[in-house]
Every structure is written in C-alpha cells, then in structure tokens.
Amino acid sequence: MAFAKNGSVCIHYERMAAGDGPPVILLAGAGRPSTDFDYAFCAPIVAAGFVPIRIDSRDTGRSGALVDVMPDLHAIKATALGTGSAQPPYGIADMADDVLAVMGAERLEAAHFVGRSIGGLVAQQLAVLHADRVLSLALVMAMSRSMADAIPDALLDRLMGEDTPDEDAYVARQLGMAQANGMAGDYDAERIAEGARIAWRHGIHRGGTARHFAASLAAPDLRTALGALRVPALILHGRHDKVIPLAWAEETAEAIPGAALEIDETMGHDGPLRLRRAWGARIAAHLMAATARV
C-alpha cells in the first residue's frame, strides 16, 4: 500500500498498472472509496498504455478520516447562499492539495485527471490553481460550483443523521441509493451488494459523505476561472441524473474552452458495470487523443 502526507492528513493511493506510461489520476465521488474505479473501468485505459492511479480521497477508504466531526450542513448551505458564516471541516482546495501530495510522492510533474462527481470538482479546482500539472480532464457527472441552491434540506437531514454501523447496513443503504438514483434497468441487487461489500471492506467512514457534501456546498464558483484552461476536456453525463442535473454539466462544458459534452440517454447517477466499461473505453480514447495533441 502507498501513502502520501498532506500535513496531518494521510492519503492512500494505488497504481493500477505497472510501467512508466502517462499517469492518470482517478478521483471518486462523495463518500466513495477508490474501489469505484475497478478493473473493468481501468482495463481499456491500461490497454491504451496509461497508468491509472486511484486515490482514496480524505474521509474514504484507507485515507485519514475525521470520524468525530459532523458538520452542520444547513449552516454551511446558508453560508453558500450568502446568509451565514459556517465553514466546512475542509474544502475542495484542501482535497486538491491531497492530490498534489500524491503527485509529489510519485514524483509526477503532471498527470491526466478523471473525476466522478465531487472528484471532478476537485480535479477542476486543481486545474484552476495549477494548470501546468493537468494534462487533460475527464469528468463523469460534472459540476463546477456549489449546488447549495439545488440540494434539498431533506437530503442534508438524511446525511447528518445517517448511521451505517456495519456492512449489512451499508449494503442496504447502497441498494436504496441505487433504486433512487439509478436506472431501473440497471438495478441488480447482487451486483450492487457485491460492490457495497468491496467498498465497506476497503473503508467507509462515519460521516464521510456528509463531510464531502460540506466541502461541495462551500465550493467556489470555478466557471470564470475555467475559461483560462487550455487542456482537452471530456464530460460524460446522464440525461436522468437526479443528483447533479444535466444543466450543471452543460454549464461546466460551456465554461471550459473546447470541452466535449456527451449525454448518455440511459444513465442516471450510478455506475453499473455496463457504464463503467463504456466510461473506461471512452476515456481511454480521450486520453489517446489528448496525448497525440502534445
């Protein structure tokens, strides 16, 4: 196992292939460990000659977690909307610094980035602050600013009150999330339960999803700064995404010069095997095209 240090925070990461091919850093969604980027996703990227490096964001997997800290998401939302002063335990910029720590540990001057949901927001923040470290962006389920004006209070209540004390409880949670956010045709209880057990055993931390939501609620609006980027960017988004509406992906694509937005008519806010394979193949082609441009 490999770890990097950003101050007092320890970040776990894993190379998914040997060799010295161009590195591709993989950043997962809110509260989710790096195991979401499994071998089905990584295989076409590796076959194209790249080296995926999947990172457990802080509060996920084997990275450091603030399990005794529960933010007031309503207060942080109010601040984002201009009526408060509450701050999250950490911000998107701190999570971007975690990625820089991994790059330092691996002696990487620059890398390609793949981010899913909040992972894509972290990748964009890093690109804005350190454009020379980013070779390309591939964003799955994309947003480029706080969603404070779109997240219902009921969801914040659920996140702050969420209790998953054991593996079976987490499996039940993920089954419910898949029913709520995925496509009915993709609902495969056995597949979802297997993925949930893999994630739980790798590391699911109490309150981790809430703390990630706190960071995303407090996220800066990156749209203006994204206009200065000159890197190849691909955005993959589902027409039926109930968590990050399509309009948020569209505005991200409009903000990044030359970005390609591809809308999947059969995709919600979920990652079934058929989509993971499709994402991996499409992103591999994007990476090859980005490399050819250099």
Side-chain angles (χ1 to χ4, degrees), residues 39 45 55 57-58 60 64 73 75 90-91 99 149 155 166 169 178 194-195 265 280 285-286:
Y39 290 99
I45 296 173
I55 295 178
S57 298
R58 60 171 68 192
T60 72
L73 297 180
Y90 50 80
V99 177
D149 58 351
L155 173 58
D166 55 36
E194 179 185 10
E265 301 291 340
H286 165 69

Side-chain angles (χ1 to χ4, degrees), residues 89-216:
Y90 50 80
I92 296 297
D94 297 309
M95 297 175 75
D97 284 343
D98 294 342
V99 177
L100 290 177
V102 171
M103 295 178 73
E106 287 292 301
R107 299 181 181 179
L108 302 177
E109 290 298 322
H112 300 274
F113 284 84
V114 176
R116 179 173 166 179
S117 191
I118 192 177
L121 190 56
V122 172
Q124 291 172 72
Q125 177 74 85
L126 200 149
V128 164
L129 296 176
H130 304 278
D132 59 325
R133 310 296 299 271
V134 177
L135 299 175
S136 73
L137 291 169
L139 311 174
V140 181
M141 307 170 188
M143 56 186 173
S144 53
R145 59 183 171 103
S146 168
M147 293 207 314
D149 58 351
I151 295 178
D153 288 341
L155 173 58
L156 303 185
D157 287 334
R158 183 180 64 75
L159 287 170
M160 290 191 292
E162 199 164 62
D163 182 22
T164 50
D166 55 36
E167 184 174 311
D168 288 340
Y170 186 70
V171 169
R173 175 196 188 275
Q174 293 307 103
L175 288 169
M177 294 295 291
Q179 284 185 314
N181 298 327
M183 302 296 286
D186 286 325
Y187 187 81
D188 179 338
E190 183 176 350
R191 183 272 299 178
I192 296 162
E194 179 185 10
R197 294 189 189 284
I198 290 171
W200 179 267
R201 293 167 190 176
H202 187 75
I204 297 295
H205 303 292
R206 185 177 69 251
T209 303
R211 290 186 289 278
H212 277 191
F213 263 77
S216 64

Side-chain angles (χ1 to χ4, degrees), residues 183 185-186 264 266-268 271-279:
M183 302 296 286
D186 286 325
D264 191 323
T266 68
M267 174 179 160
L273 180 60
R274 69 172 182 87
L275 283 177
R276 295 198 306 277
R277 286 174 171 164
W279 295 341

